[in-house]
């Protein structure tokens, strides 16, 4: 079957891997799905969308992610299909067929990483350039704008039709990873896919409101605190400049905000004209710093984040640090260089 990604170069995924994935899924009676810890719209949307399609095809489906504090982020609680989710403790220990979504490295499976090692077959669906090649069947294409694009392709090859609920999940993955079609990863194929999804009758205005136009009042208070300590270093990041700030557990506790509520701060500070690189360090409930980085294109943040144990793309990547914010920024700056 030809690729549904019209307008793109020949896909990076080998035909034999597509055929193997289709054969495994078609022959399975039960499928265990998983996405990365602290799931974003592409990870959770891709997993739930495909899970609903599998269930409609008569498969038994279980889905999860390996966070110690298992909870769907507030911004994504509008997604359909959440009745497929189980806590990590209820996830199959040795799945016959396991499928991961938007996961570049096995450690991003968190508590469920050991289960992946015991799966008889593991299909990896991902679009990160930093993907390490784990799993038995790689459906990995760094040129895809989102993992949800690869999921739609796989659905087409399986003969699964789109409905509004599935489309809502896949559209969420597409718009979150393209920044609502603002990022350079946006391709003609991304817009063509959006048209197919919208044609199912989903409400793009309601999805946009849930994703970007809602926050509790105390978030504004916290944002004022965080922006009050923002720093601009025009000599950092190989001379391209960096703007950065951090959000501590103490900051969040002062306003009774969970970790998930601070994800969008990076999109505020990245608007700064002067630097190429924007960074936000967010202290999680366990005391580790989750570092989000963005680049306007002159610096490859994905390469630096991968070297620090994380991963991502040239213009958007992240990693975990157990150093202080200042020490973390120093290590990051030492690794940042011009985009290759």
């Amino acid at each position: 079957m030809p690729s549904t990604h019209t307008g793109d170069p020949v896909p990076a995924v080998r035909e034999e891997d597509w055929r193997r994935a289709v054969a495994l899924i078609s022959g399975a009676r039960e499928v265990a799905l998983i996405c990365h810890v602290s799931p974003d719209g592409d990870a959770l949307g891709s997993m739930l969308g495909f899970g609903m399609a599998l269930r409609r095809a008569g498969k038994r489906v279980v889905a999860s992610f390996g966070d110690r504090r298992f909870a769907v982020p507030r911004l994504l609680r509008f997604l359909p299909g959440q009745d497929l989710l189980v806590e990590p403790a209820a996830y199959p220990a040795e799945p016959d067929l396991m499928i991961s979504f938007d996961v570049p490295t096995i450690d991003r499976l968190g508590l469920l990483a050991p289960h992946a090692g015991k799966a008889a077959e593991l299909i990896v669906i991902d679009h990160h350039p930093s993907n390490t090649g784990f799993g038995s069947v790689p459906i990995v294409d760094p040129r895809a704008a989102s993992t949800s694009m690869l999921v739609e392709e796989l659905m087409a090859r399986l003969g699964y039709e789109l409905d509004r609920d599935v489309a809502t999940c896949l559209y969420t993955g597409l718009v979150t990873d393209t920044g609502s079609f603002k990022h350079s990863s946006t391709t003609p194929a991304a817009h063509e896919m959006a048209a197919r999804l919208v044609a199912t009758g989903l409400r793009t205005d309601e999805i946009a409101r849930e994703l970007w136009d809602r926050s509790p009042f105390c978030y504004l208070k916290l944002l004022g605190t965080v922006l009050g300590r923002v720093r601009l270093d025009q000599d950092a990041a190989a001379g391209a400049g960096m703007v950065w700030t951090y959000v501590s557990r103490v900051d969040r506790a002062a306003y009774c905000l969970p970790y998930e509520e601070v994800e969008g701060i990076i999109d505020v500070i990245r608007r700064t004209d002067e630097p190429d690189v924007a960074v936000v360090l967010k202290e999680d409930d366990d005391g580790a710093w989750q570092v989000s980085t963005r680049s306007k294109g002159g610096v490859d943040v994905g390469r630096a984040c991968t070297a620090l144990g994380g991963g991502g793309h040239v213009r958007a990547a992240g990693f975990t640090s157990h150093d202080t914010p200042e020490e973390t920024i120093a290590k990051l700056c030492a690794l940042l260089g011009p985009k290759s």
Side-chain angles (χ1 to χ4, degrees):
M1 177 181 290
S3 171
T4 59
H5 293 181
T6 56
D8 281 350
V10 176
V13 181
R14 299 180 304 174
E15 278 299 319
E16 62 191 89
D17 290 324
W18 282 119
R19 289 194 294 269
R20 179 67 175 150
V22 168
L24 286 171
I25 294 168
S26 298
R29 288 184 293 181
E30 182 172 81
V31 187
L33 311 181
I34 190 167
C35 65
H36 61 70
V37 294
S38 302
D40 57 13
D42 194 25
L44 192 62
S46 294
M47 181 173 72
L48 293 179
F50 195 63
M52 287 187 290
L54 287 172
R55 181 169 59 185
R56 190 176 60 196
K59 312 292 184 183
R60 294 195 300 272
V61 183
V62 62
S64 191
F65 46 91
D67 285 278
R68 286 187 176 84
R69 297 171 178 83
F70 182 81
V72 172
R74 181 186 63 82
L75 294 177
L76 299 176
R77 289 176 189 164
F78 72 94
L79 289 176
Q82 291 182 46
D83 57 309
L84 296 171
L85 294 173
V86 299
E87 296 200 9
Y91 196 80
E94 299 181 10
D96 287 333
L97 177 58
M98 186 173 178
I99 306 177
S100 70
F101 297 84
D102 207 43
V103 183
T105 62
I106 198 164
D107 63 298
R108 290 286 287 156
L109 296 176
L111 296 175
L112 295 176
H115 299 60
K118 297 177 181 177
E121 296 282 358
L122 172 57
I123 300 172
V124 175
I125 307 177
D126 186 34
H127 73 127
H128 289 93
S130 57
N131 188 282
T132 57
F134 71 99
S136 56
V137 183
I139 306 298
V140 179
D141 188 350
R143 291 171 293 183
S146 66
T147 291
S148 65
M149 292 190 73
L150 297 171
V151 169
E152 193 214 17
E153 170 86 5
L154 182 55
M155 285 183 57
R157 289 171 178 264
L158 285 160
Y160 294 172
E161 294 183 0
L162 291 168
D163 62 21
R164 186 170 62 181
D165 283 348
V166 171
T168 295
C169 289
L170 299 188
Y171 183 84
T172 297
L174 182 64
V175 296
T176 52
D177 262 31
T178 61
S180 196
F181 308 106
K182 293 184 294 185
H183 297 341
S184 61
S185 60
T186 305
T187 60
H191 287 291
E192 291 164 3
M193 174 178 166
R196 292 190 293 273
L197 299 178
V198 173
T200 65
L202 60 83
R203 291 293 302 272
T204 58
D205 57 334
E206 293 178 359
I207 294 173
R209 171 170 166 74
E210 294 289 344
L211 291 173
W212 294 296
D213 296 337
R214 294 186 60 189
S215 61
F217 176 74
C218 53
Y219 171 78
L220 298 179
K221 295 285 192 177
L222 174 69
L223 188 60
T225 298
V226 174
L227 293 181
R229 64 168 69 108
V230 70
R231 305 184 195 181
L232 175 63
D233 184 349
Q234 303 215 56
D235 295 322
M242 174 188 291
V243 60
W244 69 277
T245 189
Y246 66 87
V247 189
S248 70
R249 285 184 293 179
V250 173
D251 295 329
R252 292 191 290 107
Y255 298 106
C256 299
L257 284 173
Y259 173 83
E260 66 191 58
E261 293 290 351
V262 301
E263 289 290 341
I265 292 176
I266 187 71
D267 295 317
V268 177
I269 73 163
R270 69 185 298 186
R271 297 173 58 188
T272 310
D273 285 335
E274 292 85 353
D276 186 274
V277 176
V279 182
V280 174
L281 300 91
K282 301 156 294 182
E283 189 179 17
D284 63 25
D285 293 335
D286 296 320
W289 292 95
Q290 305 301 328
V291 185
S292 297
T293 70
R294 300 291 185 271
S295 168
K296 294 174 184 173
V299 174
D300 185 347
V301 293
R303 181 175 58 186
C305 290
T306 298
L308 291 167
H313 306 276
V314 169
R315 298 192 182 200
F319 63 97
T320 300
S321 175
H322 297 280
D323 298 315
T324 67
E326 290 77 11
E327 291 168 339
T328 301
I329 291 294
K331 288 183 178 180
L332 179 61
C333 286
L335 291 167
L336 291 171
K339 183 178 69 174
S340 59

